[in-house]
Amino acid sequence: MKLELRGFLGLLCAAAVGAAAATSAAPAAPAAPAAKAAAPASTSRLVKDGVVIDFEARPLEGSELVEGALTEVRFRFSDERTGAPVRGSRPAAWLDVGANIQAQAGGAQRQCVEKIGLYLKGAVGIRPLVDMNGYYLLVMNNDASITVIDPMVSMAGRTSTLTTIQLKRPAVDWVNHGDLKRLYVSMPSAGQVAVVDTETFQVVASIDAGADPTRIVLQPDGRYLWVGNNARDAAASGITVIDTRDRKVVMQTQTGRGHHEIAISPDSRRAFVTNRDDGTVTVFDIATLKKIKDVTVGAVPLSVAYSTLSRAAYVSNGKSGTISVIDGARLEVVKTIEAKPGLGPVRFTPDGRFAMVVNTPQSVVHVIDPGTNEIIHSPKVQSDPFQVSYTQGFAYVRALSSERVTMINLTSLGVGKEPIVQSFAAGSYAPKMGGDLPLADAVVAGLGEAAAFVVSPADNATYFYMEGMNAPMSSYPSRGKLARAVTVVDRSLRELEPGVYAGRFRMPAAGTFDVAMSLDQPRMVHCFSTQAKVNPQLEALRQTVAVEFLPQGRSFKQKDVAKVRFRVIEGTGVPKAGLKDVIVRYFLVPASPPRDAIAKEVADGVYEVPVELEETGAYYVFVSVPSLKLGYNDSGFLSLMARAEPGSPPRPRMSDK
């Protein structure tokens, strides 16, 4: 069985994965050969069937294409005769090591076609270094982890788990900075925000973010990350602001007592922060990072959202049952919309035309028209609603006391209309039966299609629902984990302007790469070439300490004990002898509880550890040496396979116990 390895490796070994992913039995291949020189950008042109395709790969960080740096590839489609943009092209693209898809002279394009065919099949283990077409699901778990799911890949029909991201402490909220390929995750019990690279799915930083950092919001221009500090001490209860460029805290200030929700104006000029226990909203000027005013609203403000149409902030007050409308220029309450106590989250539809506010004890959703600041609908939904999420066509309302998800057709909203309400079952159990729930959404829109992903905590699964169906089409169980929330990482090309498509990623390694491009209309396949230089900073890291697994068997029988041997080497290649804290961690894929063991030195710089393969399946083996500051994710890993004896009955997995 072939294994998808790419997600488990850090940036330093990304090049090896592309070559090693094709077989689980071979050791990790060496990184792509480093390029001696590279232009600031790679450009080339293809003219075929009356269409001109201009390809460009350019750096977004620094002046050259280097490994580990944010890179953008662009395809410009134009008519050969008129030069006019060719619309509706919808290209697909992949980046892989050049040697993997080059062939003998005259056969390069044939090999390119074959490689793309393998990518499109979604086979486990046959994956490019960078896929610029699909998306990944990230599932927030109840423990200190995030599960990464590749919906395009399945392993023997059982799992699509790509990797698991380990955090310091359990997460509560997150926000995705797509342009920088970063996911920011709040960890209240750690007092930090974790920064996850969504290319390598590794935690690249942990930022101190004040006491009890909970809600996090990224302002529209992506410059600052706003973090609400729910500290019990009133002096520490407020806001922390982090500059996403250098990950530094630029402001930390007290605003008021209680939980804090945050809304940012679309022009990134004003920030509105609720103070639940004080009944106020603190307004900040973002340019100066100064507090402008405290606005008194109703009792227990639980949520805030900003309207682009009315240019006002809408605050739902749970205890008083009112929605306060704060004018964005005057910073005064200009309207108080009356409802009933029990109001919760307020959110605007994607086009900003309507706002929806859930009322949990009443089991209704109030629809507000920002043009008149009036409630125009209050449709009944499932018992105890607590979240509202959107696709382009529907509002999805998740309820605590029902396994069914309510859908409200957005085109049916408006004065004089009757909202169209329907529902479907996402699992068999109500969310409240799954225990504590985070602030992060349990429903997220699918990309490029009328669909949504829904987490059912009590069923411990994420369901894929296509709009128009009576039930979810598929599900992704979280074996060994307790699923709580879901988000999507987009890897697809975006149309920046007519005929111009672009994708961003972090260059996985240094060397020569092929960018395979496939086009349906007109049907066309071509491989462009680009190069990346060695990153001096990463090269310095590579010259410190590494783990080198020795040639050894990878396939075993169930219940065997594999004696795994490896070297700990310095950057010069010299084995590091005499280490007493070489720790080996191994686990059964996809997410069984890990086991740790201390390796013993059996020769100078060579260490050995027994790995007990109690159950059938694939095992991953990682190495850490605390005295050398070598973490589990700082080097490569080894994969082992345990196979059942012919005719033996299947055994329950550790993750199912």
Side-chain angles (χ1 to χ4, degrees), residues 175 215-228 239-242 251 260-274 281-287 289 303-309 311-315 326 328 331 346 348:
V175 63
R215 176 65 81 189
I216 56 176
V217 172
L218 183 70
Q219 62 188 50
D221 64 7
R223 173 69 183 278
Y224 293 136
L225 183 73
W226 292 70
V227 184
I239 286 293
T240 296
V241 180
I242 299 170
M251 183 180 74
H260 307 286
E261 290 289 324
I262 308 163
I264 312 292
S265 62
D267 56 8
S268 297
R269 295 183 59 190
R270 296 282 189 270
F272 299 81
V273 181
T274 65
V281 173
T282 303
V283 186
F284 289 90
D285 178 81
I286 294 178
L289 291 178
S303 183
V304 59
Y306 194 90
S307 169
T308 56
L309 296 181
R311 297 181 181 179
Y314 291 70
V315 183
I326 302 175
L331 302 182
V346 52
F348 278 88

Side-chain angles (χ1 to χ4, degrees), residues 273-400:
V273 181
T274 65
N275 307 300
R276 185 183 63 184
D277 295 348
D278 285 349
T280 61
V281 173
T282 303
V283 186
F284 289 90
D285 178 81
I286 294 178
T288 61
L289 291 178
K290 300 292 185 182
K291 183 172 77 171
I292 303 175
K293 189 177 184 180
D294 287 322
V295 182
T296 300
V297 292
V300 190
L302 289 179
S303 183
V304 59
Y306 194 90
S307 169
T308 56
L309 296 181
S310 64
R311 297 181 181 179
Y314 291 70
V315 183
S316 61
N317 306 293
K319 187 174 181 179
S320 60
T322 60
I323 300 98
S324 302
V325 183
I326 302 175
D327 184 273
R330 296 158 53 189
L331 302 182
E332 297 176 352
V333 175
V334 295
K335 179 69 179 289
T336 298
I337 304 172
E338 298 291 337
K340 291 183 178 181
L343 296 181
V346 52
R347 285 191 176 177
F348 278 88
T349 55
D351 60 2
R353 182 65 185 86
F354 302 102
M356 291 191 180
V357 186
V358 303
N359 190 310
T360 303
Q362 300 296 322
S363 296
V364 300
V365 173
H366 299 298
V367 181
I368 299 173
D369 185 342
T372 61
N373 285 331
E374 299 288 346
I375 295 176
I376 60 173
H377 304 297
S378 295
K380 198 76 174 176
V381 295
Q382 303 298 320
S383 298
D384 303 325
F386 70 100
Q387 279 185 349
V388 177
S389 301
Y390 297 103
T391 62
Q392 288 299 317
F394 290 86
Y396 287 72
V397 184
R398 202 71 168 108
L400 288 171

Side-chain angles (χ1 to χ4, degrees), residues 263-582:
I264 312 292
S265 62
D267 56 8
S268 297
R269 295 183 59 190
R270 296 282 189 270
F272 299 81
V273 181
T274 65
N275 307 300
R276 185 183 63 184
D277 295 348
D278 285 349
T280 61
V281 173
T282 303
V283 186
F284 289 90
D285 178 81
I286 294 178
T288 61
L289 291 178
K290 300 292 185 182
K291 183 172 77 171
I292 303 175
K293 189 177 184 180
D294 287 322
V295 182
T296 300
V297 292
V300 190
L302 289 179
S303 183
V304 59
Y306 194 90
S307 169
T308 56
L309 296 181
S310 64
R311 297 181 181 179
Y314 291 70
V315 183
S316 61
N317 306 293
K319 187 174 181 179
S320 60
T322 60
I323 300 98
S324 302
V325 183
I326 302 175
D327 184 273
R330 296 158 53 189
L331 302 182
E332 297 176 352
V333 175
V334 295
K335 179 69 179 289
T336 298
I337 304 172
E338 298 291 337
K340 291 183 178 181
L343 296 181
V346 52
R347 285 191 176 177
F348 278 88
T349 55
D351 60 2
R353 182 65 185 86
F354 302 102
M356 291 191 180
V357 186
V358 303
N359 190 310
T360 303
Q362 300 296 322
S363 296
V364 300
V365 173
H366 299 298
V367 181
I368 299 173
D369 185 342
T372 61
N373 285 331
E374 299 288 346
I375 295 176
I376 60 173
H377 304 297
S378 295
K380 198 76 174 176
V381 295
Q382 303 298 320
S383 298
D384 303 325
F386 70 100
Q387 279 185 349
V388 177
S389 301
Y390 297 103
T391 62
Q392 288 299 317
F394 290 86
Y396 287 72
V397 184
R398 202 71 168 108
L400 288 171
S401 301
S402 176
E403 77 282 3
R404 300 193 69 83
V405 179
T406 302
M407 300 172 61
I408 302 174
N409 191 318
L410 299 182
T411 62
S412 67
L413 301 180
V415 177
K417 295 183 177 181
E418 184 66 27
I420 299 175
V421 181
Q422 59 194 87
S423 68
F424 66 92
S428 303
Y429 303 99
K432 69 179 182 181
M433 298 181 67
D436 294 337
L437 302 178
L439 290 178
D441 288 346
V443 181
V444 66
L447 295 179
E449 52 197 344
F453 293 93
V454 183
V455 165
S456 176
D459 293 280
N460 200 26
T462 302
Y463 293 90
F464 174 65
Y465 175 77
M466 287 288 293
E467 292 173 357
M469 306 296 289
N470 292 325
M473 294 184 62
S474 59
S475 66
Y476 306 96
S478 296
R479 297 184 177 92
K481 300 290 182 181
L482 300 177
R484 288 295 180 266
V486 63
T487 190
V488 172
V489 170
D490 188 4
R491 293 286 182 88
S492 61
L493 297 175
R494 294 184 296 173
E495 188 171 18
L496 303 181
E497 57 185 82
V500 179
Y501 294 83
R504 291 184 175 185
F505 57 89
R506 293 195 176 273
M507 188 63 72
T512 300
F513 300 93
D514 282 330
V515 180
M517 184 276 303
S518 174
L519 194 64
D520 286 337
Q521 295 294 333
R523 181 163 293 279
M524 190 182 306
V525 173
H526 188 76
C527 289
F528 298 94
S529 181
T530 189
Q531 290 186 332
K533 295 180 66 175
V534 170
N535 187 325
Q537 294 179 339
L538 296 181
E539 182 65 17
L541 290 176
R542 280 191 289 263
Q543 295 302 318
T544 54
V545 180
V547 173
E548 181 183 90
F549 289 99
L550 299 181
Q552 54 199 290
R554 299 281 190 97
S555 183
F556 298 87
K557 297 178 182 178
Q558 182 184 350
K559 291 292 187 179
D560 279 354
V561 177
K563 294 184 178 180
V564 175
R565 288 195 173 193
F566 54 91
R567 293 190 185 95
V568 178
I569 58 176
E570 297 177 310
T572 58
V574 177
K576 195 77 173 176
L579 298 172
K580 303 298 183 183
D581 61 340
V582 180

